[in-house]
Amino acid sequence: MIRAQSLVKDFDGFTALDGVDFEFDKPGIFGIIGHNGAGKTTLLKIMSGLIKPTSGELEINGVDVVRHPDLHKRTLGYLPEESRLYENMNVWSYLAFFGEIYGLSDEEIRKKSRELLSKLKLDPGDKKMGEFSKGMKRKAAIARSLMHDPSFLVYDEPTSGLDPMTSRYISEFLREIKDEGEKTIILSAHNLYQVEEICDRVLILRRGKTLALGDMDELRSKFGSVSYEIEFVLDDRDLLEGVIGDYSESAGIISATVEDVDDLSNLTNVVAKGGGRVKKIESHYPSLEDMLVMIGE
C-alpha cells in the first residue's frame, strides 16, 4: 500500500513537487508520467528514500518513508535510468556482491542468481559486464534489483534505448512479476504505449502537481470518450452535407471521424440509403500520448 499526502519538494526556490497526493492500495504496476520537468524523477527518488520531501507524508507498506528511509530500503528494489554496473566484474560476482550486502547465504545467492538469469534469458558466458550489450546490461541491473526478493520496486525508464525485442521482453517480464501478486512496481517511462499496456493505474503529473490518477478507463473518461473512425464508398458526396464535417478521400474511399455512436449510426444510414458501402469502422480511445498533448506543458 502506498499513501502520499501533500508531498512538497523545493530546490533552492524551485518547487519540483507541489502538494502531490495519491494512493495505491494493492500489488500491481503503478505508472508515473508527465512532460519533462513535471516532477517524475523527484517523486521516484522520494519513493526510493534517496531524498526527503520538504514537507508532506509518504507511507509505503506500513513504513513511514520520510522518517525511516533505511527501514524502507530493506524491501526496496531500485532501477535507475542508467544501468551503472561494475564493468570489470562478471555478472555472477556482481550479483553475489549485492546478495552479500543483503545478508544472503552463498547457497541463496547461487540459487537466486541462476533463477533470475534464467527468467531474464541472460546468458553471460565468460564476459565481463563491460562487454555486455545495452540490453544485457539492463537485464543484469534488473536481476540485481531483485536479488533480495523486495516487495517494492521502483523502475525508472526500464526499457529506454533498448531494441524493440528486448524492450518487449522486459515489459513481459514485469507483467509476470505483477501476475505473481506479491510486488508493487512503480514505473516511469517515456514509452507511453508500454505504460498504457502494463500499468494498473497511472498518475499524471503536471508542473509538480497531481493532474489525474486512475486506471485507463477512468483516465479516458476524464480526458474524452470513444470516437469512431469510418471508411466507406459513396458516389453522391452531396448526401454528406450536414452529416459529417471534414473528411478525406483516397482511391475512392472516404475516411471520417465521428464523436459518438448516434452520429455513427446516422452516417451509416446515409451511406446505405445512398447506395454506398461501409468498408471499416474502428473505435478509438484517447491514449496516454493524446492525454499529454491535451494538457500541454
Side-chain angles (χ1 to χ4, degrees):
M1 190 277 288
I2 308 168
R3 184 181 63 84
Q5 186 173 355
S6 302
L7 285 179
V8 174
K9 183 61 181 179
D10 291 321
F11 293 102
D12 296 326
F14 171 72
T15 302
L17 293 181
D18 189 7
V20 171
D21 297 283
F22 62 87
E23 287 191 9
F24 194 49
D25 59 4
K26 60 183 178 180
I29 303 181
F30 184 30
I32 299 176
I33 67 169
H35 293 291
N36 291 337
K40 302 185 299 297
T41 297
T42 299
L43 180 56
L44 291 180
K45 288 183 176 181
I46 290 174
M47 296 179 80
S48 302
L50 297 176
I51 61 175
K52 288 188 175 183
T54 304
S55 62
E57 299 177 4
L58 176 62
E59 182 180 314
I60 298 176
N61 294 333
V63 176
D64 186 327
V65 177
V66 178
R67 295 182 179 181
H68 306 290
D70 292 339
L71 185 59
H72 167 57
K73 289 175 185 177
R74 295 177 189 176
T75 60
L76 168 71
Y78 177 59
L79 184 75
E81 183 173 358
E82 295 296 327
S83 301
R84 302 187 185 280
L85 309 175
Y86 300 137
E87 298 199 343
N88 288 325
M89 283 185 172
N90 64 41
V91 71
W92 301 100
S93 299
Y94 177 72
L95 295 180
F97 174 73
F98 282 94
E100 290 171 4
I101 289 176
Y102 285 105
L104 302 182
S105 68
D106 290 344
E107 182 179 351
E108 288 172 324
I109 288 172
R110 286 191 295 270
K111 180 180 178 182
K112 194 68 177 177
S113 297
R114 286 194 299 267
E115 173 189 316
L116 289 170
L117 296 184
S118 175
K119 284 184 175 181
L120 286 161
K121 289 185 168 55
L122 177 57
D123 183 6
D126 296 326
K127 292 181 179 179
K128 292 183 178 180
M129 291 189 295
E131 304 173 74
F132 283 6
S133 67
K134 188 167 185 177
M136 293 175 70
K137 288 181 178 180
R138 207 56 175 156
K139 288 181 178 182
I142 290 173
R144 185 265 307 154
S145 74
L146 293 166
M147 275 298 291
H148 56 303
D149 196 24
S151 59
F152 185 71
L153 303 171
V154 175
Y155 281 7
D156 190 1
E157 296 286 349
T159 62
S160 176
L162 302 183
D163 64 86
M165 184 174 293
T166 305
S167 177
R168 184 72 182 177
Y169 182 82
I170 289 177
S171 292
E172 290 300 321
F173 180 74
L174 296 181
R175 196 197 302 273
E176 289 175 11
I177 292 177
K178 179 186 79 167
D179 290 344
E180 292 172 359
E182 298 177 353
K183 301 185 190 302
T184 296
I185 303 172
I186 305 300
L187 173 69
S188 179
H190 285 104
N191 184 340
L192 298 181
Y193 174 76
Q194 177 193 44
V195 173
E196 189 169 334
E197 187 179 42
I198 68 174
C199 289
D200 299 294
R201 300 187 78 196
V202 178
L203 170 68
I204 302 178
L205 293 176
R206 183 175 185 269
R207 297 180 182 176
K209 295 179 179 288
T210 298
L211 181 67
L213 172 65
D215 60 29
M216 285 308 303
D217 287 340
E218 291 168 332
L219 293 177
R220 287 168 182 146
S221 176
K222 178 179 177 66
F223 286 95
S225 57
V226 62
S227 61
Y228 301 92
E229 296 178 1
I230 179 172
E231 293 182 358
F232 58 95
V233 176
L234 182 66
D235 291 335
D236 188 354
R237 306 294 192 276
D238 291 340
L239 294 175
L240 300 176
E241 186 70 28
V243 178
I244 56 174
D246 294 334
Y247 60 86
S248 61
E249 183 176 350
S250 177
I253 299 176
I254 301 169
S255 301
T257 300
V258 294
E259 299 301 325
D260 61 54
V261 71
D262 290 336
D263 289 342
L264 177 65
S265 178
N266 188 28
L267 176 57
T268 55
N269 285 335
V270 168
V271 171
K273 290 178 180 178
R277 179 166 52 91
V278 174
K279 296 183 68 68
K280 183 171 68 173
I281 297 174
E282 291 183 351
S283 56
H284 175 72
Y285 295 90
S287 66
L288 289 176
E289 183 175 353
D290 294 332
M291 296 174 198
L292 287 189
V293 170
M294 289 179 200
I295 68 175
E297 296 188 19

